Amino acid sequence: MKISLEWLGEYVDLSNLDPQRIALELTMKTAEVEEVHLVNCHLDKVVVGEVLSARPVEGREGLTWVEVGLGGEILSTVCGAPNLRLGMKAPFAPPGAVLAGGARVEKTVLAGLESQGMLCSAKELGLGEYHEVVMDLPESTPAGKALKDLAPARDHLIEIDNKSVTHRPDLWGHYGFARELAAIFGRELKPLEQVDLKGFDNLPAFPVTVDDFTLCPGYCCLLMEGIRPAPSPLMMQWRLHAIGLRAINLLVDLTNYVMYEVGQPMHAFDADWLKAVRVAPLGAPGEFTTLDGQARKMLAEDLMIWNEKEPVALAGIMGGLHSEVTPATTRLLLEAANFQPGCIRRSSVRLGLRTDASQRFEKDLPQAFMPLATARFLRLAAQAGQEPKVKSRFSHVGDLGLTRRSLRIPADYVPRYMGQELSLAETARILGAIEFGCRQDGEELLVDIPPHRSRRDIGVRQDIVEEVARFYGYDNIEAKLPAVAITEYGFNDILRAEHKLRRLLAQGRGYSEVHAYSWHDDRWLAKIGWEPGESLTLANPIAPYKSRLRQTLMPNLLEMIPQNYAQRDEIKLFEVGRVYAPAGGGSRETTRLGAVAFSAGGQAELEPLFLEMKGLLEDAAQVLGCGPLELKPGRADATAWARAGAHLEIWQGGVRRGELGYLSGPILEAFKSNAQMAWLEMELEELPLLAYPALEVSLPSAFPGSWLDFSILWPAAKGYAALATLLDEYQDDLVQERQFVIAYSGRGLDKGVKSYTFRYWIGLADRTLTKEDIDGCKERFLGFLAASGLQIR
Amino acid sequence: MDQIKDQLAKELSQAASLEEVEKIRIQYMGKKGSITNLSKTVNFGAMGPEERKDFGRRFNEIKTWADQALAQAQARLRQGGGAAGPMPVDLTLPGARGSLGSLHPITLVQMELEQIFQGMSFIVGQGYHVESEHYNFDALNIPGDHPAREMQDTFWLTNGMLMRTHTSANQVRMIEAHGVPLRAIFPGRCFRYEAVDASHENTFYQLEGLMVDRNVTISHLIAVMKALLSQVFHRPVTVRLRPGYFPFVEPGFELDCQCLICEGVGCKTCKQSGWIELLPCGMIHPRVLEAGGVDPDQWSGFAFGLGLTRLAMMKFGVPEIRLFNSGDLRFLEQFPAAV
Ligand SMILES: [Zn+2]
């Protein structure tokens, strides 16, 4: 929204104030200023011209040859504007004038006719963007008069961030900003001149009924005659163009001008056929054609303005096609109403129809704006030389919002909440400057809320603090750190576990942390051949194939592998993230660790890759302190990535916590041909993370021990675990620990046979081992191997 | 002992390379070296206390002497005093990197902020990504028809829930879970229904925080925010507070930080304004406290929100928001593995 400083000058004297300073003060005390625009009007040499003759240029459709009277001199020009008419007054730029955009007007010959200047649109004068028509000046404007004597050549527009005034409907018009600036700079705010509406009290009322005052808390209207579709006064047009609107004719301009002055949208109905107004929802779904000619699908709850049994306007949003005022209209009904913000907002959002009016009604306009706008309309019309004949009394139903609301707050509340000393007198002075009343009543302060402030804006005592504090200056509040009592809270176990895992993987295992999206891409799921079960689903996804929330981290992690192929042969990435499962109409959200390791090194890389992942899991269990994890064979083909024989389940405390494995089978087709991949996914929720004692250390022996290495031959097909189980049977007082070192197959060994090297740590608790001890142990173990049918390498 | 000493001196003077000196060192001073073993060859039991003391003194002397003599011999050979070859280590080669991975830039920023706030005795919560309309909107004084709802285009679920549009959704949950007084932050993932481009993402991270106690004031809010930012940027910062509108705070503020690039003079980063909009914050609206079952006449508090993604972009100079969720290791691997 753009606010014109020139316009504001009508209500408050802003002379000697730098526009940048005004912008800064508004930003610091009222609302965020996004930018200050300079309006530079090109009025030099431009004069008021009168169209003395106009005839179409033969053979050149749309062009008119015009003789323009300049109060004596007559010049001719060729003009393409569609709104030319005989006797019209318009700005005329003679040769030598420089217009907005830098074009210099020259004498030319156009279509064989001499053009000695040009009639100007608002844009050509540097006002706004509207250039389709030439500016249509009031009849009374004297021809030949220099335009720079009639209108200012410069203005500054303060562009306000609309979001920052969502709660301030009083700031959706210039007068509201004038009020703020008057308070900020301690200058006088000129009252708005109004016509006294009581003067019409002896006239008959126009019939109005409102079905539901919660949807329409107030409705006012006035019947009038005698407003002709003439051009508006130059300054009214100037201001409307400057802030980016377009001047059309006095009636339309007046309603817009009042809306941008006080913030109240108005609507004019053709009263020649409007007999009575009723405000009520449509009642049944149907169609309604708005004045822009669009037929719109309506719902039963859309609030309408009815003429007896026919809906004539979409309340607070847009009029209907047939209720529009036309040049033939002689009587009109001027509406100033108040609608429930939510009701207007719902209809306008659903219909995709955002108008200046709906934007304001959505913000809970104060009802007091209704009589104010009506009285201003009449006054401005009179100033434009078109005093309408009022034919009804000021007819209204509902609340006019003229009863002042008040709030009672403890007398010391404002400084206490600010944390800053502030006298009662200063509080009262600040509040007084923005028209709040303030009176001490014993231990309390009685604060009187001015009618132009909305209920949504000023409703609780903290709102009063805001009013005082912002004018006091937030930066004038001294910063003081609070003194606090220490409170005992529990640890955030999951977060600590998350961070432990992040450190382990990044620092200890060389993994890179990634963030994947919370939803799947169905196109990728199809590619890896996996379909999730029942999922939480977005009603309005970014794309139709991105609607299902992830219940596992794996697919999205796997999806990140191919894009990284090009740069590397090894990829290790992980995510600590949330997964989401439907749960009884709601959702169950848990935190998981997911990791993927990729190698392009061929089949030989697969086992080491998987074993590294398995080792990672053991490390994870150790840093998490969740106690030993049990690995069990995975269920057959649980998912596309967890295939029978190629994955293990992770169990802890009798609960399945996750899985790990390597990719095999059809899913590999989604990746490079030589891709080897291992993966791990584990849920952290409900893992016992803070076991006590955290671990039981074994004391280092005072007597040095020794070790013995054995390489045992074993059929590879039987697997390591079977060998380990067999070796478990060996009992010896000297053996403290058995450690697996390496498995080997290949040269020097028969096909299908692997050599598994184990290191046996031996020692005694009460003395140093002797050579005899060691040799004895070795012999006993070799004996066990022989008895078990095992050979050593 | 003197015999050993002479022998060592002689051998060292003849040594022609560092390898030889090392052999000599092991021979005399190694685990089983002749000097090292001196103490084992002596029968202490047969000695008187004075004798033992004297032996100890001489033993230490010879060890010290031997260390020095070895070091001198090494130095002599290093300086070219012997027939030494080229230097064994090229000090100018690039260092060999360990197998470190990387933490996500958001994690780095989040962990650091958690440490800062834990130092100020705030606890850390997390909340839910899939939220109810109640916690994301209604409890925050944003009723169904409120215009603020459209500022935050929402991903809705078919079951009527939504993807939280801000970490503020966890405010009332935290108050309900922990009661008051309360000092808490809650970082996490948020979602907005919007088209993705260089500066907009539908998935991003925020860090919300609040403090509720008796007589918490605007003055406290300013002080804590200043303390926070000074720690984030590792230097004192100048801030300014101006009105900002958020339905769940009253009064609401935008806290700007003086541009750290240009010190407030105006530059590209701050769009010539000298200020960076950093922290929306405010005093918790009484209706929000009430929604959490807290009496606003007895308690007051402040709340604030930090864009973690935005902070990471500032801190690491990331111009393109899409990189964060891209899984592109060329980007992610540049970040350190430790906070
Ligand atoms: Zn700057």
Side-chain angles (χ1 to χ4, degrees):
Chain A
M1 182 176 37
K2 293 189 178 111
I3 299 294
S4 152
L5 290 189
E6 188 281 328
W7 190 340
L8 288 181
E10 184 168 328
Y11 318 119
V12 58
D13 177 10
L14 297 175
S15 53
N16 307 324
L17 291 172
D18 176 26
Q20 295 295 342
R21 169 142 185 251
I22 293 173
L24 178 64
E25 289 292 334
L26 283 176
T27 293
M28 296 306 291
K29 296 191 163 74
T30 303
E32 184 173 344
V33 173
E34 289 189 316
E35 219 174 327
V36 178
H37 305 274
L38 172 67
V39 177
N40 219 342
C41 292
H42 290 247
L43 304 181
D44 267 358
K45 297 201 173 127
V46 179
V47 293
V48 178
E50 180 176 4
V51 177
L52 298 178
S53 75
R55 57 186 170 82
V57 177
E58 242 174 76
R60 300 292 292 269
E61 206 179 331
L63 287 186
T64 314
W65 187 73
V66 195
E67 279 179 311
V68 184
L70 307 175
E73 197 183 359
I74 296 174
L75 295 177
S76 63
T77 182
V78 175
C79 179
N83 65 331
L84 286 177
R85 55 165 210 285
L86 219 54
M88 171 187 200
K89 300 277 179 61
F92 181 80
V98 177
L99 297 177
R104 189 187 169 90
V105 181
E106 308 280 4
K107 261 190 206 177
T108 53
V109 175
L110 232 129
L113 297 162
E114 194 173 19
S115 190
Q116 298 167 311
M118 63 185 285
L119 291 164
C120 303
S121 68
K123 185 179 179 182
E124 281 153 348
L125 296 182
L127 287 170
E129 292 298 318
Y130 194 42
H131 59 86
E132 283 82 355
V133 300
V134 299
M135 265 183 102
D136 191 352
L137 303 177
E139 234 170 281
S140 58
T141 323
K145 184 105 176 155
L147 222 64
K148 64 177 186 216
D149 295 336
L150 296 172
R154 273 162 73 91
D155 191 6
H156 286 90
L157 299 177
I158 304 273
E159 186 165 358
I160 302 289
D161 176 8
N162 285 356
K163 282 205 294 279
S164 73
V165 286
T166 306
H167 59 314
R168 292 287 304 272
D170 63 308
L171 294 182
W172 284 74
H174 278 66
Y175 196 69
F177 275 97
R179 190 184 282 116
E180 294 280 316
L181 288 171
I184 290 169
F185 293 108
R187 299 193 175 187
E188 187 202 342
L189 179 71
K190 290 173 197 139
L192 288 172
E193 287 178 27
Q194 304 176 41
V195 165
D196 184 3
L197 299 175
K198 288 204 182 67
F200 312 120
D201 278 357
N202 55 345
L203 295 172
F206 191 89
V208 177
T209 49
V210 168
D211 281 22
D212 183 348
F213 285 106
T214 59
L215 296 176
C216 174
Y219 193 95
C220 305
C221 59
L222 197 66
L223 188 64
M224 58 184 79
E225 288 179 355
I227 293 193
R228 285 171 290 119
S232 308
L234 173 58
M235 276 317 295
M236 186 177 288
Q237 294 194 39
W238 194 98
R239 287 173 180 170
L240 292 175
H241 281 299
I243 62 168
L245 300 177
R246 54 169 78 171
I248 292 165
N249 62 46
L250 183 61
L251 178 62
V252 178
D253 295 352
L254 274 172
T255 53
N256 278 333
Y257 192 87
V258 169
M259 175 162 65
Y260 277 86
E261 182 182 61
V262 303
Q264 170 72 46
M266 306 190 92
H267 191 75
F269 292 99
D270 181 344
D272 285 341
W273 61 280
L274 190 71
K275 303 300 171 213
V277 163
R278 181 177 157 229
V279 186
L282 193 56
E287 200 169 79
F288 181 74
T289 306
T290 42
L291 59 78
D292 55 6
Q294 286 219 39
R296 297 175 187 276
K297 284 219 175 344
M298 310 295 294
L299 297 184
E301 60 262 34
D302 288 322
L303 191 63
M304 308 298 293
I305 310 296
W306 299 72
N307 175 27
E308 298 179 321
K309 295 207 159 127
E310 179 193 5
V312 293
L314 189 45
I317 302 176
M318 194 178 263
L321 187 58
H322 304 297
S323 69
E324 206 187 351
V325 174
T326 64
T329 304
T330 56
R331 285 152 60 88
L332 61 91
L333 187 77
L334 184 69
E335 168 202 280
N338 191 286
F339 302 109
Q340 188 205 54
C343 164
I344 301 301
R345 185 169 178 275
R346 278 191 296 275
S347 299
S348 112
V349 168
R350 196 196 73 242
L351 293 167
L353 190 56
R354 312 298 305 281
T355 60
D356 280 344
S358 72
Q359 230 182 344
R360 285 168 174 77
F361 283 121
E362 279 177 10
K363 297 186 169 68
D364 195 23
L365 285 169
Q367 272 116 283
F369 284 179
M370 297 186 294
L372 174 65
T374 310
R376 269 308 273 170
F377 181 95
L378 292 175
R379 178 70 198 143
L380 288 165
Q383 278 173 358
Q386 285 212 41
E387 197 151 5
K389 287 186 214 60
V390 175
K391 289 293 181 186
S392 79
R393 63 190 306 174
F394 180 57
S395 311
H396 57 85
V397 290
D399 182 8
L400 288 186
L402 299 177
T403 327
R404 285 202 153 212
R405 294 181 296 130
S406 60
L407 274 174
R408 235 169 227 286
I409 63 175
D412 66 344
Y413 187 73
V414 171
R416 189 148 52 85
Y417 205 67
M418 284 167 67
Q420 178 73 28
E421 271 180 45
L422 190 70
S423 71
L424 212 54
E426 181 64 1
T427 303
R429 186 197 65 76
I430 291 172
L431 287 173
I434 45 170
E435 300 174 32
F436 281 69
C438 178
R439 180 163 62 78
Q440 190 170 5
D441 182 15
E443 295 292 292
E444 290 186 317
L445 219 55
L446 196 61
V447 180
D448 202 22
I449 303 159
H452 60 262
R453 296 302 291 270
S454 120
R455 276 163 204 279
R456 208 175 242 182
D457 174 20
I458 307 286
V460 293
R461 55 179 65 168
Q462 288 81 358
D463 294 321
I464 304 298
V465 177
E466 176 175 41
E467 295 304 307
V468 177
R470 68 191 176 97
F471 283 104
Y472 176 79
Y474 291 140
D475 281 350
N476 294 326
I477 298 173
E478 199 190 329
K480 287 182 281 261
L481 280 169
V484 296
I486 292 178
T487 319
E488 187 191 331
Y489 304 105
F491 282 118
N492 186 334
D493 294 348
I494 292 286
L495 186 71
R496 291 218 310 184
E498 283 183 22
H499 288 346
K500 280 179 174 181
L501 289 174
R502 287 188 171 106
R503 292 194 180 98
L504 169 68
L505 273 94
Q507 294 167 15
R509 288 292 189 141
Y511 277 72
S512 288
E513 187 183 13
V514 301
H515 283 170
Y517 286 100
S518 292
W519 42 79
H520 293 302
D521 184 332
D522 290 347
R523 298 170 306 178
W524 171 252
L525 298 187
K527 217 165 166 187
I528 62 170
W530 180 66
E531 184 57 26
E534 191 202 345
S535 305
L536 290 170
T537 306
L538 294 174
N540 56 335
I542 285 293
Y545 47 83
K546 290 185 177 177
S547 67
R548 289 184 288 185
L549 297 195
R550 62 183 183 185
Q551 292 183 58
T552 155
L553 300 175
M554 293 321 298
N556 295 9
L557 280 179
L558 290 171
E559 194 180 359
M560 286 178 166
I561 295 292
Q563 58 164 316
N564 286 300
Y565 283 160
Q567 298 89 36
R568 59 205 79 222
D569 291 338
E570 286 195 347
I571 300 168
K572 294 204 250 182
L573 41 85
F574 78 99
E575 179 171 20
V576 178
R578 295 278 177 87
V579 295
Y580 320 88
S587 84
R588 185 179 131 79
E589 194 173 321
T590 52
T591 303
R592 288 189 179 183
L593 164 69
V596 179
F598 158 92
S599 169
Q603 181 95 54
E605 296 295 322
L606 185 56
E607 191 177 83
L609 204 61
F610 171 77
L611 293 179
E612 206 179 280
M613 192 63 83
K614 198 172 166 189
L616 167 62
L617 180 67
E618 284 159 25
D619 287 353
Q622 193 195 22
V623 300
L624 291 175
C626 62
L629 300 173
E630 195 187 340
L631 296 177
K632 299 182 181 176
R635 293 160 299 155
D637 296 350
T639 53
W641 54 93
R643 302 267 298 172
H647 77 287
L648 297 170
E649 292 183 354
I650 306 164
W651 287 71
Q652 187 281 332
V655 180
R656 193 162 63 95
R657 309 286 184 180
E659 295 164 318
L660 81 161
Y662 61 89
L663 294 197
S664 78
I667 193 173
L668 282 169
E669 281 161 32
F671 301 91
K672 272 216 269 221
S673 59
N674 60 343
Q676 310 297 326
M677 272 180 279
W679 57 270
L680 159 71
E681 182 169 28
M682 184 167 74
E683 183 142 317
L684 305 184
E685 232 73 24
E686 288 162 26
L687 264 187
L689 295 169
L690 286 169
Y692 190 89
L695 59 86
E696 276 175 60
V697 298
S698 59
L699 286 175
S701 167
F703 301 95
S706 187
W707 72 78
L708 295 167
D709 284 355
F710 302 96
S711 293
I712 303 166
L713 299 178
W714 179 253
K718 287 192 178 176
Y720 167 87
L723 174 60
T725 309
L726 209 159
L727 294 178
D728 284 345
E729 286 169 21
Y730 179 66
Q731 302 289 325
D732 194 309
D733 289 343
L734 254 58
V735 172
Q736 292 169 330
E737 194 193 339
R738 183 186 78 217
Q739 183 189 358
F740 172 66
V741 181
I742 197 166
Y744 172 79
S745 60
R747 252 166 62 144
L749 291 180
D750 292 343
K751 207 164 182 265
V753 171
K754 264 189 182 180
S755 154
Y756 296 85
T757 303
F758 293 90
R759 174 163 294 178
Y760 279 79
W761 291 90
I762 54 177
L764 285 167
D766 52 354
R767 62 176 173 83
T768 306
L769 290 179
T770 61
K771 187 171 182 304
E772 290 72 35
D773 292 331
I774 298 171
D775 291 346
C777 180
K778 189 172 177 178
E779 262 170 53
R780 286 195 299 279
F781 185 65
L782 290 175
F784 165 79
L785 291 181
S788 308
L790 291 168
Q791 279 188 312
I792 60 167
R793 194 178 164 207
Chain B
M1 263 190 213
D2 290 345
Q3 207 183 333
I4 291 177
K5 194 172 158 181
D6 291 346
Q7 182 67 25
L8 172 57
K10 192 177 155 202
E11 283 182 28
L12 277 177
S13 68
Q14 287 166 357
S17 72
L18 286 169
E19 287 74 31
E20 281 179 47
V21 174
E22 179 59 13
K23 265 187 208 152
I24 298 167
R25 189 190 67 77
I26 291 165
Q27 191 184 328
Y28 286 85
M29 298 287 282
K31 234 173 157 179
K32 293 173 181 166
S34 48
I35 293 179
T36 316
N37 274 344
L38 273 176
S39 61
K40 291 177 190 155
T41 59
V42 176
N43 184 358
F44 286 101
M47 286 179 176
E50 277 308 307
E51 236 179 321
R52 248 179 273 166
K53 217 170 150 189
D54 183 56
F55 176 85
R57 184 181 52 75
R58 287 197 297 140
F59 179 64
N60 283 330
E61 266 174 18
I62 191 170
K63 274 208 311 191
T64 311
W65 176 86
D67 277 339
Q68 284 171 357
L70 282 161
Q72 276 164 12
Q74 281 168 349
R76 171 176 61 81
L77 289 165
R78 284 209 181 104
Q79 282 155 19
M87 305 292 271
V89 173
D90 180 353
L91 300 177
T92 65
L93 278 172
R97 301 294 295 267
S99 62
L100 281 182
S102 54
L103 289 173
H104 196 279
I106 303 279
T107 296
L108 294 170
V109 174
Q110 180 188 327
M111 281 179 163
E112 187 173 330
L113 283 164
E114 284 171 7
Q115 284 169 8
I116 290 171
F117 277 103
Q118 282 165 342
M120 296 195 283
S121 79
F122 281 66
I123 56 164
V124 187
Q126 288 178 295
Y128 299 99
H129 299 175
V130 176
E131 256 301 357
S132 66
E133 199 174 352
H134 171 74
Y135 286 109
N136 197 75
F137 290 125
D138 298 321
L140 293 174
N141 195 33
I142 314 175
D145 56 12
H146 200 285
R149 282 208 178 189
E150 108 202 23
M151 294 179 196
Q152 340 190 315
D153 291 306
T154 310
F155 280 112
W156 291 92
L157 268 63
T158 50
N159 69 0
M161 297 182 83
L162 52 83
M163 305 303 286
R164 69 175 175 194
T165 58
H166 45 195
T167 37
S168 315
N170 204 27
Q171 281 193 11
V172 170
R173 281 190 183 279
M174 286 302 274
I175 295 173
E176 284 174 346
H178 298 281
V180 288
L182 177 63
R183 292 179 296 284
I185 58 161
F186 17 105
R189 182 178 275 209
C190 304
F191 308 83
R192 300 256 168 106
Y193 182 83
E194 64 181 340
V196 175
D197 63 26
S199 49
H200 296 87
E201 242 295 358
N202 53 46
T203 303
F204 56 97
Y205 284 73
Q206 289 186 336
L207 183 148
E208 185 95 356
L210 56 76
M211 168 171 181
V212 183
D213 212 321
R214 308 222 181 246
N215 290 316
V216 173
T217 67
I218 298 174
S219 162
H220 294 146
L221 161 66
I222 302 172
V224 173
M225 293 302 100
K226 272 180 104 153
L228 157 67
L229 292 176
S230 304
Q231 291 176 82
V232 168
F233 296 113
H234 305 290
R235 53 184 277 194
V237 293
T238 307
V239 303
R240 72 175 191 187
L241 205 62
R242 56 187 173 81
Y245 172 66
F246 313 97
F248 40 97
V249 285
E250 184 60 47
F253 313 109
E254 285 286 1
L255 189 136
D256 300 338
C257 176
Q258 194 172 74
C259 179
L260 298 164
I261 309 291
C262 66
E263 306 286 342
V265 178
C267 69
K268 219 173 76 190
T269 305
C270 58
K271 295 188 193 117
Q272 306 305 330
S273 72
W275 296 93
I276 303 277
E277 190 177 307
L278 211 56
L279 258 173
C281 52
M283 301 297 289
I284 301 173
H285 198 287
R287 278 198 274 277
V288 176
L289 290 174
E290 278 166 6
V294 172
D295 179 359
D297 288 338
Q298 301 292 317
W299 302 88
S300 58
F302 61 75
F304 55 90
L306 256 175
L308 281 184
T309 303
R310 180 145 173 272
L311 206 60
M313 291 175 86
M314 283 172 66
K315 183 166 176 155
F316 303 116
V318 181
E320 161 71 73
I321 199 169
R322 281 174 289 201
L323 286 169
F324 288 104
N325 300 332
S326 68
D328 188 338
L329 293 176
R330 291 169 302 169
F331 169 68
L332 294 166
E333 278 180 353
Q334 297 177 44
F335 295 95
V339 177

